[in-house]
């Protein structure tokens, strides 16, 4: 398993999937940008490219990951945290060597990305 979803994240994703149509998958990956150079991408997707994507099922949730992103996100844990200000997904990536204070931007050893102003 490339990534781990906590029970809280699984429950939140399943709740959100109820608003989507059939055959939706959770897509997780990275993209360039953010103040540290790379940002996480987390959302729903209906399209899968068998050559470029890895498809897995994690705790009953179909997950799609761009194969190129696997070395940078392998071992990542996605959690959902609720507090008085609301809730949101928290991502803990052991491959991040620098993380932004906002928690959504990072730099990896093998891929720095392109930093932007926050």
């Amino acid at each position: 398993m490339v990534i781990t979803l906590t029970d809280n994240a699984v429950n939140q994703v399943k709740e959100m999937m109820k608003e989507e149509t059939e055959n939706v998958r959770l897509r997780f990956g990275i993209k360039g940008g953010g103040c540290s150079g790379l940002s996480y991408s987390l959302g729903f997707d209906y399209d899968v490219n068998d050559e470029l994507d890895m498809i897995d099922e994690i705790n009953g949730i179909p997950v799609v990951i761009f194969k190129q992103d696997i070395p940078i996100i392998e071992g990542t844990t996605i959690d959902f945290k609720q507090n008085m200000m609301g809730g949101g997904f928290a991502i803990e990536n052991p491959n991040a060597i620098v993380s932004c204070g906002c928690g959504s931007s990072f730099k990896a050893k093998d891929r720095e990305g392109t930093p932007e102003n926050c």
Side-chain angles (χ1 to χ4, degrees):
M1 198 172 336
V2 174
I3 64 170
T4 300
L5 298 172
T6 66
D7 290 343
N8 287 341
V10 167
N11 293 337
Q12 183 63 33
V13 170
K14 284 183 177 179
E15 192 62 34
M16 293 167 70
M17 286 178 82
K18 290 178 183 177
E19 298 177 21
E20 301 292 326
T21 60
E22 281 189 43
N23 300 323
V24 68
R25 295 173 177 92
L26 179 68
R27 181 175 286 277
F28 178 65
I30 57 172
K31 59 185 178 180
C35 41
S36 295
L38 297 171
S39 296
Y40 297 106
S41 175
L42 183 65
F44 293 121
D45 200 346
Y46 297 91
D47 298 321
V48 174
N49 183 321
D50 291 329
E51 291 181 24
L52 301 176
D53 293 325
M54 181 203 77
I55 304 165
D56 199 359
E57 186 167 305
I58 302 171
N59 299 346
I61 296 174
V63 177
V64 178
I65 297 172
F66 188 45
K67 289 177 184 177
Q68 181 178 314
D69 294 345
I70 291 173
I72 297 163
I73 61 172
E74 191 157 18
T76 295
T77 298
I78 301 174
D79 192 11
F80 184 82
K81 297 185 179 189
Q82 191 80 35
N83 61 35
M84 290 174 41
M85 300 297 286
F89 289 97
I91 299 171
E92 185 178 317
N93 182 349
N95 303 303
I97 58 172
V98 173
S99 292
C100 178
C102 66
S104 64
S105 179
F106 70 102
K107 184 183 298 184
K109 177 183 165 195
D110 297 326
R111 192 160 155 201
E112 293 186 6
T114 306
E116 298 174 351
N117 293 332
C118 283

